[in-house]
């Protein structure tokens, strides 16, 4: 007799809860290979985070699955589609969200998914993915999605004693998908130059592989060792900024918004569902693009990455483990920030960026990962938000002496601290000066009230605030409400200016360049002794961020 336990015959159909489990497990499976997928990335520009973006997209799907009715196929299907759209990150994440949308739309009206429906779902995923891209390119994740769909549709041998199973569909889908993935270097010169297969296609296969592993009860494999990064082969690209946005309450159709942004660059994706519009484009005009889109809905979130600087970061991460001991700098800097103008500023000070801030707090692991990626004896962390401070302190504990936190509670304080950073000076000798510099900066923030309330502020005034009203905060303390965003800035300056020499204004995603210029002129006229600097690319959800120093 065999010592092996009998193997199950397989799943002829998939219940909603089984399918939800498969996608959760596929998320973890992709997580194991995330850095390997990142290391493969070369197309269409070296923004280096394909694996991370696909994994974050799947994590959003998992969050929706965790709160849906797992006994309802419509509920599971909606969680897949809705979670993928809201969580989509980067070019690869947005395309993945559309593959998942096609898959989910096919299964949503079934009680259980049989092999025929599973095959149709992969075919619909391919069709929706190709349809979302204005100029589909072969040799990408789309090609591999086509291979998966073709493999799923291949005939499978069955007889009177065996039935067609989901495992069989997935096995053939993987086999044909791998065949086309292996051919991607012959379809794209960039891949052949780097000697790699397509990163997004590999990520998609890992997801299908994870779905199959879930059905088979296989354990997660160990993470592979990363020995090289494809991005080391590439230097320059035509468009410098990877730009993303998430918008609600759109006042124009998806097709019209897509046409509006298409002249701004390439790698364009604009997709939507349930009142949301998600966009991704590579461009040299991120501020103009976001201002154009912002006129047609409510901008919820934006991200702009300088791809040349991000490219440098990625190569730095790739080579960190190989650097000689004498090349390690005394100090490194990690800053939590969002808003492309602020991110660019912190990078110019030498900071490694952790994306996040108000309403998008990074995890302890996010901060730990950033610290570990910096080649320095000790790393200074700037949380730049009171809600991130505890996570930063916990990350510091986990790093066991390799990191120190300066408790910056606003982005303005973070800027003040970063101005006094020097990688050539030991962190212990920098902390006091950076802390004092942070405390010397006053920060004004102008945003909108999320609910109706009545609040008595520090100086005794009572503010009656309605949802959607403009509100002004000074060093994270509510102090003003009502009027226009520009009125808010001027009122706070008139009340609280105390002789500072420089006023720096960052306009948020929905602030036009004309608004920013007009406000700068108004500040200069009212305070002629002050030097005024103005920049686009302020933080998400804010009309203005203003620093006084």
């Amino acid at each position: 007799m065999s010592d092996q336990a009998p193997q199950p015959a397989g799943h002829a159909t998939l219940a909603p809860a089984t399918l939800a489990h498969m996608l959760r497990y596929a998320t973890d499976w992709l997580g194991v290979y995330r850095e390997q997928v990142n290391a493969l990335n070369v197309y269409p520009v070296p923004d280096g985070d394909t694996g991370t973006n696909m994994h974050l997209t799947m994590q959003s799907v998992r969050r929706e699955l965790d709160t849906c009715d797992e006994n309802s196929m419509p509920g599971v299907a909606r969680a897949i589609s809705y979670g993928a759209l809201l969580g989509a990150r980067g070019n690869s994440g947005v395309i993945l969200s559309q593959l998942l949308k096609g898959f989910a739309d096919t299964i949503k009206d079934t009680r259980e998914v049989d092999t025929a429906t599973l095959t149709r779902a992969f075919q619909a995923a391919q069709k929706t993915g190709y349809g979302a891209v204005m100029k589909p390119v072969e040799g990408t994740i789309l090609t591999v999605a086509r291979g998966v769909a073709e493999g799923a549709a291949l005939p499978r041998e069955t007889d009177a004693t065996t039935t067609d199973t989901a495992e069989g569909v997935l096995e053939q889908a993987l086999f044909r998908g791998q065949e086309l993935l292996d051919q991607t270097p012959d379809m794209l010169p960039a891949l052949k130059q780097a000697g790699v297969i397509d990163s997004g296609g590999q990520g998609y296969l890992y997801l299908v592989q994870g779905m199959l592993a879930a059905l088979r009860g296989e354990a997660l494999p160990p993470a592979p060792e990363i020995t090289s990064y494809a991005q080391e082969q590439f230097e320059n690209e035509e468009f410098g900024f990877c730009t993303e946005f998430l918008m609600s309450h759109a006042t124009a159709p998806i097709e019209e918004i897509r046409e509006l942004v298409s002249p701004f660059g390439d790698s364009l994706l604009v997709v939507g569902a349930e009142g949301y519009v998600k966009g991704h484009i590579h461009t040299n005009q991120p501020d103009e693009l976001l201002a154009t889109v912002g006129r047609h809905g409510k901008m919820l979130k934006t991200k702009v990455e300088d791809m040349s600087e991000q490219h440098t970061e990625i190569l730095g991460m790739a080579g960190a483990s190989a650097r000689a001991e004498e090349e390690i700098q005394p100090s490194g800097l990690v800053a939590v920030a969002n808003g492309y103008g602020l991110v660019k500023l912190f990078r110019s000070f030498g900071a490694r960026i952790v994306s996040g801030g108000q309403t998008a707090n990074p995890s302890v692991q996010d901060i730990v990962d950033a610290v570990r990626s910096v080649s320095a004896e000790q790393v200074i962390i700037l949380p730049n938000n009171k809600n991130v401070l505890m996570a930063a302190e916990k990350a510091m504990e986990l790093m066991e002496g390799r990191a120190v936190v300066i408790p910056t509670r606003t982005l303005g304080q973070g800027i003040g601290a970063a101005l006094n950073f020097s990688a050539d000076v030991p962190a212990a000798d920098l902390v006091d000066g950076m802390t004092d510099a942070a405390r010397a900066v006053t920060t004004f923030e102008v945003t909108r009230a999320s609910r109706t309330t009545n609040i008595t502020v520090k100086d005794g005034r009572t503010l009656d605030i309605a949802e959607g009203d403009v509100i002004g905060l000074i060093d994270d303390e509510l102090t003003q409400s009502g009027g226009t965003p520009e009125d808010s800035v001027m009122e706070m300056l008139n009340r609280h200016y105390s002789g500072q020499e420089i006023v720096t204004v960052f306009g948020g995603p929905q602030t036009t360049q004309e608004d920013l210029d007009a406000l700068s002129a108004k500040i200069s006229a009212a305070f002629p002794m002050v030097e005024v600097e103005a920049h686009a690319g302020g933080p998400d959800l804010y009309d203005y961020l203003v620093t006084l120093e």
Side-chain angles (χ1 to χ4, degrees):
M1 281 182 66
S2 170
D3 293 332
Q4 301 237 347
Q7 293 298 308
H11 295 73
T13 62
L14 302 173
T18 302
L19 190 61
H21 166 66
M22 290 166 64
L23 286 165
R24 286 195 190 94
Y25 200 71
T27 302
D28 293 336
W29 194 275
L30 177 61
V32 170
Y33 294 100
R34 180 185 62 188
E35 288 306 317
Q36 183 190 59
V37 175
N38 284 344
L40 290 172
N41 186 67
V42 296
Y43 180 83
V45 293
D47 49 3
D49 47 9
T50 298
T52 298
N53 284 341
M54 294 181 76
H55 189 233
L56 288 170
T57 302
M58 289 303 300
Q59 286 180 319
S60 180
V61 171
R62 180 163 56 190
R63 283 193 293 271
E64 292 297 320
L65 288 170
D66 287 343
T67 59
C68 78
D69 179 2
E70 286 196 358
N71 295 313
S72 162
M73 192 65 79
V76 169
R78 182 187 182 277
I80 295 168
S81 179
Y82 183 68
L85 177 66
L86 291 191
R89 306 274 191 111
N91 198 49
S92 54
V94 175
I95 294 177
L96 176 60
S97 77
Q98 296 308 289
L99 296 173
L100 291 170
K101 180 179 185 298
F103 187 98
D105 286 348
T106 304
I107 66 170
K108 65 183 180 182
D109 295 324
T110 63
R111 291 176 60 86
E112 291 196 344
V113 174
D114 59 17
T115 56
T117 305
L118 185 59
T119 296
R120 290 198 305 274
F122 281 123
Q123 291 171 330
Q126 170 209 340
K127 183 177 179 180
T128 307
Y130 272 89
V133 181
M134 287 192 73
K135 298 176 182 178
V137 175
E138 294 300 334
T140 67
I141 186 175
L142 296 175
T143 301
V144 177
R146 174 164 58 83
V148 167
E150 291 173 358
L154 290 173
R156 288 168 292 280
E157 292 185 6
T158 59
D159 56 33
T161 61
T162 61
T163 58
D164 196 12
T165 65
E167 287 89 339
V169 174
L170 294 169
E171 287 167 1
Q172 293 188 170
L174 280 169
F175 185 82
R176 179 58 179 155
Q178 185 68 53
E179 283 187 329
L180 288 192
L181 178 62
D182 291 341
Q183 295 172 26
T184 56
D186 297 323
M187 301 177 191
L188 277 178
L191 299 177
K192 185 174 284 291
Q193 179 185 346
V196 295
I197 53 179
D198 179 67
S199 57
Q202 178 67 86
Y204 188 56
L205 279 195
Y206 280 139
L207 288 174
V208 179
Q209 195 178 86
M211 293 170 69
L212 178 58
L215 287 181
R216 289 174 168 171
E218 295 178 7
L220 290 174
E225 182 181 356
I226 310 303
T227 58
S228 64
Y229 283 70
Q231 294 203 15
E232 292 167 353
Q233 306 288 333
F234 299 89
E235 292 298 332
N236 299 313
E237 293 295 334
E238 180 181 358
F239 297 105
F241 295 92
C242 178
T243 305
E244 299 178 28
F245 61 86
L246 176 65
M247 185 169 67
S248 66
H249 302 89
T251 59
I254 295 289
E255 294 76 16
E256 185 175 326
I257 294 173
R258 188 179 290 134
E259 290 300 321
L260 280 172
V261 301
S262 63
F264 283 92
D266 68 5
S267 297
L268 170 67
L269 285 165
V270 179
V271 298
E274 300 194 24
Y276 292 90
V277 177
K278 185 91 175 187
H280 172 282
I281 189 171
H282 295 144
T283 181
N284 287 326
Q285 302 166 289
D287 48 346
E288 295 178 33
L289 184 149
L290 293 174
T292 298
V293 173
R295 301 184 190 110
H296 299 278
K298 180 181 179 182
M299 196 69 79
L300 300 179
K301 189 172 183 180
T302 64
K303 187 185 83 166
V304 180
E305 292 284 0
D306 184 324
M307 291 187 291
S308 62
E309 292 178 6
Q310 190 182 47
H311 174 62
T312 301
E313 275 194 13
I314 292 159
L315 295 186
M317 292 171 69
S321 61
R323 290 189 186 118
E325 188 71 27
E326 61 268 22
E327 293 183 52
I328 297 177
Q329 295 175 309
S331 297
L333 186 64
V334 165
V336 179
N338 71 62
Y340 70 88
L342 288 160
V343 166
K344 184 174 183 179
L345 181 61
F346 278 110
R347 280 204 175 110
S348 73
F349 298 140
R352 181 67 42 82
I353 302 300
V354 177
S355 180
Q358 198 68 20
T359 76
N361 302 156
S363 68
V364 173
Q365 189 63 55
D366 291 335
I367 300 172
V368 167
D369 289 344
V371 170
R372 286 175 174 161
S373 75
V374 176
S375 181
E377 293 175 7
Q378 196 169 33
V379 177
I380 296 170
I381 304 171
L382 303 178
N384 298 338
N385 186 291
K386 68 178 182 181
N387 293 327
V388 181
L389 183 55
M390 287 184 66
E393 290 174 340
K394 179 58 68 175
M396 178 181 68
E397 292 175 16
L398 293 174
M399 293 310 297
E400 298 179 339
R402 190 163 172 254
V404 60
V405 174
I406 294 177
T408 51
R409 294 175 176 270
T410 67
L411 284 160
Q413 289 184 349
I415 292 170
L419 277 165
N420 289 268
F421 171 74
S422 174
D424 298 327
V425 178
D429 297 334
L430 291 171
V431 169
D432 288 346
M434 291 176 69
T435 302
D436 290 344
R439 290 172 178 163
V441 177
T442 299
T443 306
F444 296 171
E445 296 164 312
V446 178
T447 184
R448 310 297 174 111
S450 60
R451 60 186 175 87
T452 299
T453 188
N454 180 284
I455 292 180
T456 300
V457 296
K458 188 178 288 187
D459 62 9
R461 291 175 296 125
T462 299
L463 303 179
D464 295 317
I465 302 171
E467 181 180 348
D469 278 357
V470 171
I471 54 175
L473 300 90
I474 297 181
D475 291 334
D476 210 37
E477 294 282 345
L478 184 65
T479 190
Q480 181 274 338
S481 67
T484 67
E486 293 75 22
D487 293 337
S488 178
V489 172
M490 294 309 298
E491 181 178 334
M492 288 190 288
L493 277 171
N494 287 325
R495 283 179 177 271
H496 300 281
Y497 173 75
S498 57
Q500 291 92 340
E501 297 177 353
I502 302 173
V503 174
T504 305
V505 183
F506 291 90
Q510 298 192 84
T511 302
T512 66
Q513 189 62 47
E514 291 79 9
D515 292 336
L516 193 55
D517 292 342
L519 177 58
S520 300
K522 188 177 290 188
I523 295 171
S524 295
F527 300 90
M529 72 296 293
V530 165
E531 179 183 343
V532 181
E533 299 180 3
H535 305 278
D540 297 335
L541 305 180
Y542 287 80
D543 294 277
Y544 293 105
L545 176 87
V546 182
T547 65
L548 282 65
E549 43 187 314

